[in-house]
Amino acid sequence: MKHIIIYLAIALVMFGLLGWYFAQQEDMQPKALQADLNVSNVAKLPLQKVEMLFSDMSNEEKNSFRIAIQNELGATVDVAAHDCMGSAEVQMTYAKRVLEQGCAVLMLEPVDDAATDELLALAQEYDVPVVLMNRRATAEQLATFPKLYSILKAEDSEEAELERLADTIADYWEENREQLNFRLQDGKLGIAAVTEYGLEDSGKWEKLQTMLEERGCTAILSRDIVTEYLNYNLEPRLDSIYHYGGEMILFSDSADAEKASVYYNDPTEYSNGYPAWLVVMEADETAYNLYKDGKVLFAEGGGGYMMGRAAAQMLRLLLEDQIPRVSGSLASQADGGKTFLCNPVVLRNVIETVEPEEQDANSSRTAAVGIS
């Protein structure tokens, strides 16, 4: 009997200790759980949403436009593009859905101009700013809808494109003639072209050559490569440019410029590299990245990607409830600051000449050239 009492006493003590232990765990658990919830809430804060309603998405430039905006605004903003497939009814359905679900800015390329006012009125009910894409708001629309803006390309032409090209090449020729004229050394700039249309056959070369001469730059067309006939076999044509003395190479496609940059700097192909100056005549995303990395001398044009960079500057301010502005290098303003006309751009790198610190007095002047 005595042993039974002892066992019962021990059991009571054990149960008491276990009860105290679990009570402590219950006191601690809600605090830990609350901390986890707080962290989770921070991680799941809703993103600001920019909704884009395109009349259609058949043009690759529209996707480049969206990509540029997303790249510029970063991960705190969700940029979604919707293809309305040329249907005003589909566009209205999308507009109602995204506005009901909540969006910070609505970007709209109207399918039917006659239905635009209805879409603008719908957005105004939700107090959401609207940016018309590839359309210019009318004076009546700007007066009726205070939070309405427009972004579109400024007018451009082949003549204006060639003028920009000639101006830029001539500027480099004046400032860096020694570096540009590294192969022919006859006072003429050897220009090669890699285009889908042929610089000479299209008549562009004759115009460009005349413009360059008017600006004091004598140039010859050393090679004229038409990519339509290449069957994706670009490397032998790049070799021919090297053999024919191309000092500056004009590319209509940034992807070909990227291939050339890799190929000419491949030590298994060119042990010392080939320092031709690469130029892209289409300022898209690839061209912009090549420019930033110093792999092309300059890029020019007014594609969807550069237009998207301008739109991102507008959106960043609109998302902060501020009046939108855009850098003058990307767009000019009209209609009292409500319309942004995206100008063709010229993205120029600088040729830097680096001379040795010490040089023998009798030795010739040497320089290493790079792009910054």
Side-chain angles (χ1 to χ4, degrees):
M1 185 67 180
K2 183 178 179 181
H3 291 88
I4 293 173
I5 293 172
I6 292 172
Y7 290 147
L8 286 172
I10 292 172
L12 288 171
V13 171
M14 292 294 293
F15 280 119
L17 289 172
L18 286 171
W20 175 85
Y21 173 79
F22 284 117
Q24 291 294 104
Q25 294 304 306
E26 289 174 2
D27 289 342
M28 294 171 61
Q29 185 66 22
K31 296 176 183 178
L33 181 60
Q34 185 63 42
D36 289 341
L37 287 174
N38 289 339
V39 171
S40 178
N41 288 339
V42 170
K44 294 181 179 179
L45 284 174
L47 295 175
Q48 288 183 293
K49 286 191 174 183
V50 173
E51 300 284 356
M52 311 172 74
L53 305 185
F54 286 105
S55 60
D56 65 78
M57 291 284 288
S58 58
N59 189 336
E60 181 58 32
E61 280 200 7
K62 294 180 182 181
N63 191 47
S64 297
F65 178 74
R66 182 198 65 80
I67 290 171
I69 292 174
Q70 185 68 80
N71 288 348
E72 293 292 318
L73 295 181
T76 59
V77 179
D78 180 23
V79 181
H82 306 279
D83 186 347
C84 297
M85 300 176 289
S87 168
E89 184 179 351
V90 169
Q91 191 163 60
M92 180 60 72
T93 301
Y94 269 130
K96 290 177 179 177
R97 182 187 305 169
V98 299
L99 289 167
E100 287 171 2
Q101 292 175 348
C103 73
V105 180
L106 179 66
M107 302 192 73
L108 176 66
E109 181 186 46
V111 173
D112 183 358
D113 289 337
T116 302
D117 283 1
E118 187 179 353
L119 289 163
L120 296 177
L122 180 64
Q124 187 165 264
E125 289 178 17
Y126 288 86
D127 195 31
V128 172
V130 177
V131 178
L132 292 181
M133 301 179 290
N134 304 318
R135 294 287 195 285
R136 189 166 185 167
T138 66
E140 293 78 9
Q141 288 171 338
L142 291 173
T144 305
F145 305 104
K147 292 190 174 182
L148 176 61
Y149 303 89
S150 302
I151 185 165
L152 63 158
K153 288 183 181 180
E155 291 186 9
D156 198 16
S157 64
E158 179 183 296
E159 192 78 10
E161 177 191 5
L162 292 174
E163 290 278 358
R164 288 194 303 272
L165 201 57
D167 284 340
T168 309
I169 293 173
D171 283 347
Y172 279 116
W173 183 250
E174 182 178 353
E175 298 294 329
N176 305 98
R177 184 171 306 190
E178 182 178 339
Q179 287 75 46
L180 265 64
N181 198 205
F182 66 91
R183 283 292 300 273
L184 299 180
Q185 295 295 333
D186 60 353
K188 297 178 181 178
L189 177 62
I191 295 179
V194 180
T195 66
E196 66 270 16
Y197 45 77
L199 203 64
E200 190 165 32
D201 290 344
S202 65
K204 290 186 176 183
W205 171 249
E206 184 178 357
K207 295 177 183 177
L208 178 60
Q209 187 179 38
T210 300
M211 291 177 183
L212 287 171
E213 288 178 354
E214 291 171 352
R215 291 160 174 78
C217 176
T218 303
I220 61 170
L221 185 61
S222 59
R223 293 294 284 168
D224 191 14
I225 310 299
V226 182
T227 56
E228 182 183 354
Y229 310 129
L230 291 186
N231 295 322
Y232 303 102
N233 193 11
L234 182 62
E235 286 80 5
R237 306 311 195 279
L238 294 176
D239 290 334
S240 72
I241 290 173
Y242 168 78
H243 292 301
Y244 280 86
E247 297 165 311
M248 177 179 288
I249 311 175
L250 309 181
F251 293 89
S252 62
D253 189 330
S254 59
D256 290 335
E258 186 173 39
K259 292 174 186 175
S261 176
V262 172
Y263 185 67
Y264 283 143
N265 288 285
D266 182 349
T268 63
E269 300 291 344
Y270 290 85
S271 57
N272 295 320
Y274 180 47
W277 303 103
L278 310 185
V279 173
V280 183
M281 299 182 289
E282 178 189 11
D284 58 9
E285 180 181 10
T286 300
Y288 181 68
N289 290 330
L290 289 170
Y291 153 74
K292 284 199 306 181
D293 294 339
K295 294 178 180 178
V296 296
L297 184 58
F298 70 91
E300 72 87 30
Y305 191 80
M306 298 308 297
M307 185 174 169
R309 293 188 66 233
Q313 294 184 8
M314 291 178 63
L315 292 170
R316 184 175 287 112
L317 292 170
L318 283 172
L319 291 170
E320 297 172 355
D321 293 323
Q322 297 184 40
I323 297 172
R325 297 182 305 277
V326 173
S327 167
S329 63
L330 291 174
S332 55
Q333 293 181 232
D335 302 328
K338 291 299 192 86
T339 300
F340 294 85
L341 302 171
C342 294
N343 307 311
V345 299
V346 180
L347 305 171
R348 298 181 56 162
N349 274 310
V350 177
I351 298 177
E352 289 188 340
T353 304
V354 182
E355 300 189 24
E357 292 183 4
E358 294 183 6
Q359 185 169 270
D360 186 271
N362 297 321
S363 64
S364 60
R365 180 177 180 273
T366 59
V369 183
I371 301 177
S372 66

